Amino acid sequence: MDHDTAARTTLIRSASDAGSRVFETILTRSPISRIDIARQTGLSQAAVTKAVAPLVAAGLVDAPPASHRDGTPGRPVSPVSIVLESMVMIGVKVNVDEIIAVA
């Protein structure tokens, strides 16, 4: 396991409940804005921002600078998204007579 993979694994294992919910929301709804993450998880925007920062630092999530507005007043929207190259997804389905796995 290389250094980056080990760091990412440590980050995911040590994530708080809020961090885990934020990561799961980004993983399943990417790209998504921080305000939408807050709405989906019930967390404050500050908690979402705090949870996203280490994910960006670990290279799991991409958060480009805000570049466009969504037509509402306030800060420009800056959607965050999963960095697909940073992980491998594994799915396993267990049936009575077979096991199916995909990566």
Side-chain angles (χ1 to χ4, degrees):
M1 185 180 314
D2 65 28
H3 176 70
D4 289 340
T5 303
R8 291 177 182 140
T9 302
T10 300
L11 173 69
I12 291 169
R13 286 184 180 156
S14 66
S16 65
D17 180 52
S20 296
R21 290 190 313 189
V22 167
F23 183 65
E24 179 182 347
T25 303
I26 297 168
L27 186 62
T28 58
R29 302 182 190 280
S30 176
I32 185 170
S33 68
R34 287 175 179 85
I35 186 67
D36 287 335
I37 295 169
R39 288 180 186 136
Q40 292 286 324
T41 61
L43 298 168
S44 70
Q45 286 181 274
V48 169
T49 297
K50 184 177 178 181
V52 167
L55 297 172
V56 171
L60 294 169
V61 172
D62 183 32
S67 60
H68 69 287
R69 294 192 172 273
D70 64 355
T72 59
R75 288 183 169 175
V77 175
S78 176
V80 294
S81 58
I82 293 295
V83 176
L84 297 177
E85 299 80 21
S86 69
M87 62 186 73
V88 173
M89 303 308 250
I90 298 174
V92 178
K93 179 179 180 182
V94 179
N95 292 325
V96 173
D97 58 344
E98 68 182 340
I99 297 175
I100 302 167
V102 296

Coordinates of all heavy atoms in Angstrom, one line a residue:
M1 N 0.9 -1.2 0.0 CA 0.0 0.0 0.0 C 0.9 1.2 0.0 O 1.8 1.4 0.9 CB -0.9 0.0 1.3 CG -1.9 1.1 1.3 SD -3.0 1.1 2.8 CE -3.5 -0.5 3.0
D2 N 0.7 2.1 -1.0 CA 1.5 3.3 -1.1 C 1.1 4.3 0.0 O 0.1 4.2 0.6 CB 1.5 3.9 -2.5 CG 0.2 4.4 -2.9 OD1 -0.6 4.8 -2.1 OD2 -0.1 4.4 -4.1
H3 N 1.9 5.4 0.1 CA 1.7 6.4 1.2 C 0.3 7.1 1.0 O -0.4 7.3 2.0 CB 2.8 7.4 1.1 CG 2.6 8.6 2.1 ND1 2.6 8.4 3.5 CD2 2.2 9.9 1.9 CE1 2.4 9.5 4.1 NE2 2.1 10.4 3.2
D4 N -0.1 7.5 -0.2 CA -1.4 8.1 -0.5 C -2.5 7.2 -0.1 O -3.5 7.7 0.5 CB -1.5 8.6 -1.9 CG -0.6 9.7 -2.3 OD1 -0.1 10.4 -1.4 OD2 -0.3 9.9 -3.5
T5 N -2.5 6.0 -0.5 CA -3.5 5.0 -0.1 C -3.6 4.8 1.4 O -4.7 4.8 1.9 CB -3.3 3.7 -0.8 OG1 -3.2 3.9 -2.2 CG2 -4.4 2.7 -0.5
A6 N -2.5 4.7 2.0 CA -2.5 4.6 3.5 C -3.1 5.8 4.2 O -3.9 5.7 5.1 CB -1.1 4.3 4.0
A7 N -2.8 7.0 3.7 CA -3.3 8.2 4.3 C -4.8 8.3 4.1 O -5.5 8.7 5.0 CB -2.6 9.4 3.6
R8 N -5.3 7.9 2.9 CA -6.7 8.0 2.6 C -7.4 7.0 3.5 O -8.5 7.3 4.0 CB -7.0 7.7 1.1 CG -6.5 8.8 0.2 CD -6.7 8.4 -1.2 NE -6.2 9.5 -2.1 CZ -5.6 9.3 -3.2 NH1 -5.3 8.1 -3.6 NH2 -5.1 10.4 -3.9
T9 N -6.9 5.8 3.6 CA -7.5 4.8 4.5 C -7.6 5.3 5.9 O -8.6 5.1 6.6 CB -6.7 3.5 4.4 OG1 -6.7 3.0 3.0 CG2 -7.3 2.4 5.2
T10 N -6.5 5.8 6.4 CA -6.5 6.4 7.8 C -7.6 7.5 7.9 O -8.3 7.5 8.9 CB -5.1 6.9 8.2 OG1 -4.2 5.9 8.1 CG2 -5.1 7.5 9.6
L11 N -7.7 8.4 7.0 CA -8.6 9.5 7.0 C -10.1 8.9 7.1 O -10.9 9.3 7.9 CB -8.5 10.4 5.8 CG -9.6 11.4 5.6 CD1 -9.4 12.5 6.7 CD2 -9.5 12.1 4.3
I12 N -10.4 8.0 6.2 CA -11.7 7.4 6.2 C -12.1 6.7 7.5 O -13.1 6.8 8.1 CB -11.9 6.5 5.0 CG1 -11.9 7.3 3.7 CG2 -13.2 5.7 5.1 CD1 -11.8 6.5 2.4
R13 N -11.1 5.9 8.0 CA -11.4 5.2 9.3 C -11.5 6.1 10.5 O -12.2 5.8 11.4 CB -10.2 4.2 9.5 CG -10.3 3.0 8.6 CD -9.2 2.0 9.0 NE -9.2 0.9 8.1 CZ -8.2 0.1 7.8 NH1 -7.1 0.3 8.4 NH2 -8.4 -0.9 7.0
S14 N -10.8 7.3 10.4 CA -10.9 8.2 11.6 C -11.9 9.3 11.5 O -12.1 10.1 12.3 CB -9.5 8.8 11.8 OG -9.2 9.7 10.7
A15 N -12.7 9.2 10.4 CA -13.7 10.3 10.2 C -14.8 10.2 11.3 O -15.2 9.2 11.8 CB -14.4 10.1 8.8
S16 N -15.2 11.4 11.6 CA -16.3 11.6 12.6 C -17.6 11.1 11.9 O -17.6 10.9 10.7 CB -16.4 13.0 13.0 OG -16.8 13.8 11.9
D17 N -18.7 11.0 12.7 CA -20.0 10.7 12.2 C -20.3 11.7 11.1 O -20.8 11.4 10.0 CB -21.0 10.6 13.3 CG -22.4 10.3 12.7 OD1 -22.5 9.3 12.0 OD2 -23.3 11.0 13.0
A18 N -20.1 13.0 11.4 CA -20.5 14.1 10.4 C -19.6 13.9 9.1 O -20.1 14.0 8.0 CB -20.2 15.4 11.0
G19 N -18.3 13.6 9.3 CA -17.4 13.4 8.2 C -17.9 12.3 7.3 O -17.8 12.3 6.1
S20 N -18.3 11.2 8.0 CA -18.7 10.0 7.2 C -20.0 10.3 6.5 O -20.2 9.9 5.3 CB -19.0 8.8 8.2 OG -17.8 8.5 8.8
R21 N -20.9 11.0 7.1 CA -22.2 11.4 6.4 C -21.9 12.3 5.2 O -22.5 12.1 4.1 CB -23.2 12.0 7.3 CG -23.7 11.0 8.4 CD -24.9 11.6 9.1 NE -24.6 12.9 9.7 CZ -25.4 13.5 10.5 NH1 -26.5 13.0 11.0 NH2 -25.1 14.8 10.9
V22 N -21.0 13.2 5.4 CA -20.6 14.1 4.3 C -20.0 13.4 3.1 O -20.4 13.5 2.0 CB -19.7 15.3 4.8 CG1 -19.1 16.0 3.6 CG2 -20.5 16.2 5.7
F23 N -19.1 12.5 3.4 CA -18.4 11.7 2.4 C -19.4 10.8 1.7 O -19.4 10.7 0.5 CB -17.3 10.9 3.0 CG -16.5 10.1 2.0 CD1 -15.7 10.7 1.0 CD2 -16.5 8.7 2.0 CE1 -15.0 10.0 0.1 CE2 -15.8 8.0 1.0 CZ -15.1 8.7 0.1
E24 N -20.3 10.2 2.4 CA -21.3 9.3 1.8 C -22.2 10.1 0.9 O -22.5 9.6 -0.2 CB -22.1 8.6 2.9 CG -23.2 7.7 2.3 CD -24.1 7.1 3.4 OE1 -23.7 7.1 4.6 OE2 -25.1 6.5 3.0
T25 N -22.6 11.3 1.3 CA -23.4 12.1 0.5 C -22.7 12.6 -0.8 O -23.3 12.5 -1.9 CB -23.9 13.4 1.3 OG1 -24.6 12.9 2.4 CG2 -24.8 14.2 0.4
I26 N -21.5 12.9 -0.7 CA -20.7 13.3 -1.9 C -20.5 12.1 -2.8 O -20.7 12.2 -4.0 CB -19.3 13.9 -1.5 CG1 -19.5 15.2 -0.7 CG2 -18.5 14.2 -2.8 CD1 -18.2 15.7 -0.1
L27 N -20.3 11.0 -2.2 CA -20.1 9.7 -3.0 C -21.3 9.3 -3.7 O -21.2 8.9 -4.9 CB -19.7 8.6 -2.0 CG -19.3 7.3 -2.6 CD1 -18.0 7.4 -3.5 CD2 -19.0 6.3 -1.5
T28 N -22.5 9.5 -3.2 CA -23.7 9.1 -3.8 C -24.4 10.1 -4.6 O -25.3 9.8 -5.4 CB -24.7 8.5 -2.8 OG1 -25.0 9.5 -1.8 CG2 -24.2 7.3 -2.1
R29 N -24.0 11.4 -4.5 CA -24.8 12.5 -5.2 C -23.8 13.5 -5.9 O -24.2 14.5 -6.3 CB -25.6 13.3 -4.2 CG -26.6 12.4 -3.5 CD -27.5 13.2 -2.5 NE -28.3 12.3 -1.7 CZ -29.4 11.7 -2.0 NH1 -29.9 11.9 -3.2 NH2 -30.1 11.0 -1.2
S30 N -22.6 13.1 -6.1 CA -21.6 13.9 -6.7 C -21.9 14.3 -8.1 O -22.4 13.4 -8.8 CB -20.2 13.2 -6.6 OG -19.2 13.9 -7.3
P31 N -21.7 15.5 -8.6 CA -21.3 16.7 -7.9 C -22.4 17.3 -7.1 O -23.6 17.2 -7.6 CB -20.8 17.6 -9.0 CG -21.6 17.2 -10.2 CD -21.8 15.7 -10.1
I32 N -22.1 17.9 -6.0 CA -23.1 18.4 -5.1 C -22.5 19.6 -4.4 O -21.4 19.6 -4.0 CB -23.7 17.4 -4.1 CG1 -24.8 17.9 -3.3 CG2 -22.6 16.8 -3.3 CD1 -25.6 16.9 -2.5
S33 N -23.3 20.7 -4.2 CA -22.8 21.9 -3.5 C -22.8 21.6 -2.0 O -23.6 20.7 -1.5 CB -23.7 23.1 -3.8 OG -25.0 22.9 -3.2
R34 N -22.0 22.4 -1.3 CA -22.0 22.2 0.2 C -23.3 22.5 0.8 O -23.7 21.9 1.8 CB -20.9 23.2 0.8 CG -19.5 22.7 0.5 CD -18.5 23.8 0.9 NE -17.1 23.4 0.7 CZ -16.5 23.5 -0.4 NH1 -17.0 24.1 -1.5 NH2 -15.2 23.1 -0.5
I35 N -24.1 23.5 0.3 CA -25.4 23.8 0.9 C -26.3 22.6 0.7 O -27.1 22.3 1.6 CB -26.0 25.1 0.3 CG1 -27.3 25.5 1.0 CG2 -26.2 25.0 -1.2 CD1 -27.1 25.9 2.5
D36 N -26.2 21.9 -0.4 CA -27.1 20.8 -0.6 C -26.7 19.6 0.2 O -27.5 18.8 0.7 CB -27.1 20.3 -2.1 CG -27.9 21.3 -3.0 OD1 -28.8 22.0 -2.4 OD2 -27.6 21.4 -4.2
I37 N -25.4 19.5 0.5 CA -24.9 18.5 1.5 C -25.5 18.8 2.8 O -25.9 17.9 3.5 CB -23.3 18.5 1.5 CG1 -22.7 18.0 0.2 CG2 -22.9 17.5 2.6 CD1 -21.2 18.2 0.1
A38 N -25.4 20.0 3.2 CA -26.0 20.4 4.5 C -27.5 20.1 4.6 O -28.0 19.5 5.6 CB -25.8 21.9 4.8
R39 N -28.2 20.3 3.5 CA -29.6 20.0 3.5 C -29.8 18.5 3.6 O -30.7 18.0 4.3 CB -30.3 20.5 2.2 CG -30.4 22.0 2.2 CD -31.1 22.5 0.9 NE -31.1 24.0 0.9 CZ -30.7 24.7 -0.2 NH1 -30.4 24.1 -1.3 NH2 -30.7 26.0 -0.2
Q40 N -29.0 17.7 2.9 CA -29.2 16.3 2.8 C -28.9 15.6 4.2 O -29.5 14.6 4.6 CB -28.3 15.7 1.7 CG -28.7 16.0 0.3 CD -29.9 15.2 -0.1 OE1 -30.2 14.1 0.2 NE2 -30.8 15.9 -0.9
T41 N -27.8 16.1 4.8 CA -27.3 15.5 6.1 C -27.9 16.1 7.3 O -27.8 15.5 8.4 CB -25.8 15.6 6.1 OG1 -25.4 17.0 6.2 CG2 -25.1 14.9 5.0
G42 N -28.5 17.3 7.2 CA -29.0 18.0 8.4 C -27.9 18.7 9.2 O -28.1 19.1 10.3
L43 N -26.7 18.7 8.7 CA -25.5 19.4 9.3 C -25.5 20.9 9.0 O -26.1 21.3 8.0 CB -24.2 18.8 8.9 CG -24.0 17.3 9.2 CD1 -22.8 16.7 8.4 CD2 -23.9 17.1 10.7
S44 N -24.8 21.7 9.8 CA -24.7 23.1 9.4 C -23.7 23.2 8.3 O -22.9 22.3 8.0 CB -24.1 23.8 10.7 OG -22.8 23.5 10.9
Q45 N -23.7 24.4 7.6 CA -22.8 24.6 6.5 C -21.4 24.6 7.0 O -20.4 24.2 6.4 CB -23.1 25.9 5.8 CG -24.4 25.8 5.0 CD -24.7 27.1 4.3 OE1 -25.3 28.0 4.8 NE2 -24.2 27.3 3.0
A46 N -21.2 25.1 8.2 CA -19.8 25.2 8.8 C -19.3 23.7 9.1 O -18.1 23.4 8.8 CB -19.8 25.9 10.1
A47 N -20.2 22.8 9.5 CA -19.8 21.5 9.8 C -19.4 20.8 8.4 O -18.5 20.0 8.4 CB -20.9 20.7 10.5
V48 N -20.2 21.1 7.4 CA -19.9 20.5 6.1 C -18.6 21.0 5.6 O -17.7 20.2 5.1 CB -21.0 20.8 5.1 CG1 -20.6 20.4 3.7 CG2 -22.3 20.1 5.5
T49 N -18.3 22.3 5.7 CA -17.1 22.8 5.2 C -15.9 22.2 6.0 O -14.9 21.9 5.4 CB -17.1 24.4 5.4 OG1 -18.1 24.9 4.6 CG2 -15.7 25.0 5.0
K50 N -16.1 22.0 7.3 CA -15.0 21.4 8.1 C -14.8 20.0 7.7 O -13.6 19.5 7.7 CB -15.4 21.5 9.6 CG -14.4 21.0 10.5 CD -14.8 21.2 12.0 CE -13.7 20.6 12.9 NZ -14.1 20.7 14.3
A51 N -15.8 19.3 7.3 CA -15.7 17.9 7.0 C -15.1 17.7 5.6 O -14.4 16.7 5.3 CB -17.1 17.2 7.0
V52 N -15.4 18.6 4.7 CA -14.9 18.6 3.3 C -13.4 18.8 3.2 O -12.7 18.2 2.4 CB -15.7 19.5 2.4 CG1 -15.0 19.7 1.0 CG2 -17.1 19.0 2.2
A53 N -12.9 19.7 4.0 CA -11.5 20.1 3.9 C -10.5 18.9 4.0 O -9.6 18.8 3.1 CB -11.1 21.1 5.0
P54 N -10.6 18.0 4.9 CA -9.6 16.9 4.9 C -9.8 15.9 3.7 O -8.9 15.3 3.3 CB -9.8 16.2 6.2 CG -11.1 16.6 6.8 CD -11.4 18.0 6.1
L55 N -11.1 15.9 3.2 CA -11.3 15.0 2.0 C -10.6 15.6 0.8 O -10.1 14.8 0.0 CB -12.8 14.9 1.8 CG -13.6 14.2 2.9 CD1 -15.1 14.3 2.6 CD2 -13.2 12.8 3.1
V56 N -10.6 16.9 0.7 CA -9.9 17.6 -0.4 C -8.4 17.4 -0.2 O -7.7 17.1 -1.2 CB -10.3 19.1 -0.5 CG1 -9.4 19.8 -1.4 CG2 -11.8 19.3 -0.8
A57 N -7.9 17.6 1.0 CA -6.5 17.5 1.3 C -6.0 16.0 1.0 O -4.9 15.9 0.5 CB -6.2 17.8 2.7
A58 N -6.8 15.0 1.2 CA -6.5 13.6 0.9 C -6.6 13.3 -0.5 O -6.2 12.2 -0.9 CB -7.3 12.7 1.8
G59 N -7.2 14.2 -1.4 CA -7.3 13.9 -2.8 C -8.5 13.0 -3.1 O -8.6 12.5 -4.2
L60 N -9.4 12.8 -2.1 CA -10.6 12.0 -2.4 C -11.7 12.9 -3.0 O -12.6 12.3 -3.8 CB -11.2 11.5 -1.1 CG -10.3 10.5 -0.4 CD1 -10.8 10.2 1.0 CD2 -10.2 9.2 -1.2
V61 N -11.7 14.2 -2.8 CA -12.8 15.1 -3.2 C -12.2 16.2 -3.9 O -11.1 16.8 -3.5 CB -13.7 15.5 -2.0 CG1 -14.7 16.6 -2.4 CG2 -14.4 14.3 -1.4
D62 N -12.8 16.7 -5.0 CA -12.4 17.9 -5.7 C -13.3 19.0 -5.4 O -14.5 18.8 -5.5 CB -12.4 17.6 -7.2 CG -11.9 18.7 -8.1 OD1 -11.0 19.5 -7.6 OD2 -12.3 18.9 -9.2
A63 N -12.8 20.1 -5.0 CA -13.6 21.3 -4.7 C -13.0 22.5 -5.4 O -12.3 23.3 -4.8 CB -13.7 21.5 -3.2
P64 N -13.3 22.7 -6.7 CA -12.8 23.8 -7.4 C -13.3 25.1 -6.9 O -14.3 25.2 -6.2 CB -13.3 23.6 -8.9 CG -14.5 22.7 -8.7 CD -14.3 21.9 -7.5
P65 N -12.6 26.2 -7.1 CA -13.0 27.5 -6.7 C -14.4 27.8 -7.3 O -14.7 27.4 -8.4 CB -12.0 28.5 -7.2 CG -10.8 27.7 -7.6 CD -11.3 26.3 -7.8
A66 N -15.2 28.5 -6.5 CA -16.5 28.9 -7.0 C -16.4 29.8 -8.3 O -15.6 30.7 -8.3 CB -17.3 29.7 -6.0
S67 N -17.1 29.4 -9.3 CA -16.9 30.1 -10.6 C -18.2 30.5 -11.2 O -18.2 31.3 -12.2 CB -16.1 29.2 -11.6 OG -16.9 28.1 -11.8
H68 N -19.3 30.1 -10.7 CA -20.6 30.5 -11.3 C -21.7 30.6 -10.2 O -21.6 30.1 -9.1 CB -21.1 29.5 -12.3 CG -21.5 28.1 -11.7 ND1 -20.6 27.2 -11.2 CD2 -22.7 27.6 -11.6 CE1 -21.2 26.2 -10.8 NE2 -22.5 26.4 -11.0
R69 N -22.7 31.4 -10.5 CA -23.8 31.6 -9.6 C -25.0 30.8 -10.1 O -25.1 30.5 -11.3 CB -24.2 33.1 -9.6 CG -23.1 33.9 -9.0 CD -23.6 35.3 -8.7 NE -22.7 36.1 -7.9 CZ -22.6 36.1 -6.6 NH1 -23.4 35.4 -5.9 NH2 -21.7 36.8 -6.0
D70 N -25.8 30.4 -9.1 CA -27.0 29.6 -9.5 C -28.2 30.4 -9.6 O -29.3 29.9 -9.6 CB -27.2 28.5 -8.5 CG -27.5 28.9 -7.1 OD1 -27.4 30.2 -6.8 OD2 -27.7 28.1 -6.2
G71 N -28.1 31.8 -9.6 CA -29.2 32.6 -9.7 C -29.8 33.1 -8.4 O -30.8 33.9 -8.3
T72 N -29.2 32.7 -7.3 CA -29.6 33.1 -6.0 C -28.6 34.1 -5.4 O -27.4 34.0 -5.7 CB -29.8 31.9 -5.0 OG1 -28.5 31.3 -4.9 CG2 -30.8 31.0 -5.5
P73 N -29.0 35.0 -4.5 CA -28.1 35.9 -3.8 C -27.1 35.1 -3.0 O -27.4 34.0 -2.6 CB -28.9 36.8 -3.0 CG -30.3 36.3 -3.1 CD -30.4 35.1 -4.0
G74 N -26.0 35.7 -2.7 CA -25.0 35.1 -1.8 C -23.8 34.6 -2.6 O -23.5 35.0 -3.7
R75 N -23.0 33.8 -2.0 CA -21.8 33.2 -2.6 C -22.1 32.4 -3.8 O -23.1 31.7 -3.9 CB -21.0 32.3 -1.6 CG -20.4 33.1 -0.5 CD -19.6 32.1 0.4 NE -18.8 32.8 1.3 CZ -18.1 32.2 2.2 NH1 -18.1 30.9 2.4 NH2 -17.3 32.9 3.0
P76 N -21.1 32.4 -4.7 CA -21.3 31.5 -5.9 C -21.3 30.0 -5.5 O -20.6 29.7 -4.5 CB -20.1 31.8 -6.8 CG -19.6 33.1 -6.3 CD -20.0 33.2 -4.9
V77 N -22.0 29.2 -6.2 CA -22.0 27.8 -5.9 C -20.7 27.1 -6.3 O -20.3 27.4 -7.4 CB -23.2 27.1 -6.6 CG1 -23.2 25.6 -6.4 CG2 -24.5 27.7 -6.1
S78 N -20.2 26.2 -5.5 CA -19.0 25.5 -5.8 C -19.2 24.0 -5.5 O -19.0 23.6 -4.4 CB -17.8 26.0 -5.0 OG -16.7 25.3 -5.2
P79 N -19.7 23.3 -6.5 CA -20.0 21.9 -6.2 C -18.7 21.1 -6.0 O -17.7 21.3 -6.5 CB -20.7 21.4 -7.5 CG -20.5 22.4 -8.5 CD -20.0 23.6 -7.9
V80 N -18.8 20.1 -5.1 CA -17.7 19.2 -4.8 C -18.1 17.9 -5.4 O -19.2 17.5 -5.6 CB -17.5 19.0 -3.3 CG1 -17.0 20.3 -2.6 CG2 -18.7 18.5 -2.5
S81 N -17.0 17.1 -5.8 CA -17.2 15.8 -6.4 C -16.1 14.9 -6.1 O -15.0 15.3 -5.6 CB -17.3 16.0 -8.0 OG -16.1 16.6 -8.4
I82 N -16.4 13.6 -6.2 CA -15.5 12.6 -5.9 C -14.4 12.5 -7.0 O -14.7 12.7 -8.2 CB -16.2 11.2 -5.9 CG1 -17.2 11.1 -4.7 CG2 -15.2 10.0 -5.9 CD1 -16.5 11.1 -3.4
V83 N -13.1 12.3 -6.6 CA -12.0 12.2 -7.6 C -12.0 10.7 -7.9 O -11.6 9.8 -7.0 CB -10.7 12.6 -6.9 CG1 -9.6 12.3 -7.9 CG2 -10.7 14.1 -6.6
L84 N -12.5 10.3 -9.0 CA -12.7 8.9 -9.4 C -11.4 8.1 -9.4 O -11.4 6.9 -9.0 CB -13.4 8.8 -10.7 CG -14.8 9.4 -10.8 CD1 -15.3 9.3 -12.2 CD2 -15.7 8.7 -9.8
E85 N -10.3 8.7 -9.7 CA -9.1 8.0 -9.8 C -8.5 7.7 -8.4 O -7.5 7.0 -8.3 CB -8.0 8.9 -10.5 CG -8.4 9.2 -12.0 CD -9.4 10.3 -12.1 OE1 -9.5 11.2 -11.2 OE2 -10.1 10.4 -13.2
S86 N -9.1 8.3 -7.3 CA -8.6 8.1 -6.0 C -9.0 6.8 -5.3 O -8.6 6.5 -4.2 CB -8.9 9.3 -5.1 OG -10.3 9.3 -4.9
M87 N -9.9 6.1 -5.9 CA -10.5 4.9 -5.2 C -11.0 3.9 -6.2 O -11.2 4.2 -7.4 CB -11.6 5.3 -4.3 CG -12.8 6.0 -4.9 SD -14.0 6.6 -3.8 CE -13.1 8.1 -3.2
V88 N -11.2 2.7 -5.7 CA -11.8 1.6 -6.4 C -13.1 1.3 -5.6 O -13.0 1.1 -4.4 CB -10.9 0.4 -6.5 CG1 -11.6 -0.8 -7.1 CG2 -9.6 0.7 -7.3
M89 N -14.1 1.1 -6.3 CA -15.4 0.7 -5.6 C -15.6 -0.8 -5.8 O -15.3 -1.3 -6.9 CB -16.6 1.5 -6.3 CG -16.4 3.0 -6.2 SD -16.1 3.5 -4.6 CE -17.6 4.3 -4.2
I90 N -16.0 -1.4 -4.8 CA -16.3 -2.8 -4.8 C -17.7 -3.1 -4.4 O -18.2 -2.5 -3.4 CB -15.3 -3.6 -3.8 CG1 -13.9 -3.4 -4.3 CG2 -15.7 -5.1 -3.8 CD1 -12.9 -3.9 -3.3
G91 N -18.4 -3.9 -5.1 CA -19.8 -4.3 -4.8 C -19.9 -5.8 -4.7 O -19.3 -6.5 -5.5
V92 N -20.6 -6.2 -3.6 CA -20.8 -7.6 -3.4 C -22.2 -7.9 -3.2 O -22.9 -7.2 -2.3 CB -19.9 -8.1 -2.2 CG1 -20.1 -9.6 -2.0 CG2 -18.4 -7.8 -2.4
K93 N -22.8 -8.9 -3.9 CA -24.1 -9.3 -3.7 C -24.1 -10.8 -3.3 O -23.5 -11.6 -3.9 CB -25.0 -9.1 -5.0 CG -26.4 -9.6 -4.8 CD -27.2 -9.4 -6.1 CE -28.6 -9.9 -5.9 NZ -29.4 -9.7 -7.1
V94 N -24.7 -11.1 -2.1 CA -24.7 -12.4 -1.6 C -26.1 -13.0 -1.7 O -27.0 -12.5 -1.2 CB -24.2 -12.5 -0.1 CG1 -24.3 -13.9 0.4 CG2 -22.9 -11.8 0.0
N95 N -26.2 -14.1 -2.5 CA -27.5 -14.8 -2.7 C -27.3 -16.1 -2.0 O -26.3 -16.5 -1.5 CB -27.8 -15.0 -4.2 CG -28.1 -13.8 -4.9 OD1 -28.7 -12.8 -4.4 ND2 -27.6 -13.7 -6.2
V96 N -28.4 -16.8 -1.9 CA -28.4 -18.1 -1.2 C -27.4 -19.1 -1.9 O -26.7 -19.8 -1.2 CB -29.8 -18.8 -1.2 CG1 -29.8 -20.2 -0.7 CG2 -30.8 -17.9 -0.4
D97 N -27.4 -19.1 -3.2 CA -26.6 -20.0 -3.9 C -25.4 -19.4 -4.7 O -24.7 -20.2 -5.4 CB -27.5 -20.8 -4.9 CG -28.2 -19.9 -5.9 OD1 -28.2 -18.7 -5.7 OD2 -28.7 -20.4 -6.9
E98 N -25.1 -18.1 -4.6 CA -24.0 -17.5 -5.3 C -23.6 -16.2 -4.6 O -24.3 -15.6 -3.9 CB -24.4 -17.3 -6.7 CG -25.4 -16.3 -7.0 CD -25.8 -16.1 -8.4 OE1 -25.0 -16.4 -9.3 OE2 -26.9 -15.5 -8.6
I99 N -22.4 -15.8 -4.9 CA -21.8 -14.5 -4.5 C -21.3 -13.9 -5.8 O -20.6 -14.4 -6.6 CB -20.7 -14.7 -3.5 CG1 -21.2 -15.3 -2.2 CG2 -20.1 -13.3 -3.2 CD1 -20.1 -15.6 -1.2
I100 N -21.8 -12.6 -6.0 CA -21.4 -11.8 -7.2 C -20.6 -10.6 -6.7 O -21.1 -9.9 -5.8 CB -22.6 -11.4 -8.0 CG1 -23.4 -12.6 -8.4 CG2 -22.2 -10.5 -9.2 CD1 -24.8 -12.2 -8.9
A101 N -19.4 -10.4 -7.2 CA -18.6 -9.2 -6.8 C -18.1 -8.5 -8.0 O -17.8 -9.1 -9.1 CB -17.4 -9.7 -6.0
V102 N -18.1 -7.2 -7.9 CA -17.5 -6.4 -9.0 C -16.6 -5.3 -8.4 O -16.8 -4.9 -7.3 CB -18.7 -5.7 -9.8 CG1 -19.5 -6.7 -10.5 CG2 -19.5 -4.8 -8.9
A103 N -15.7 -4.9 -9.2 CA -14.8 -3.8 -8.8 C -14.8 -2.7 -9.8 O -15.0 -2.9 -11.0 CB -13.3 -4.3 -8.6

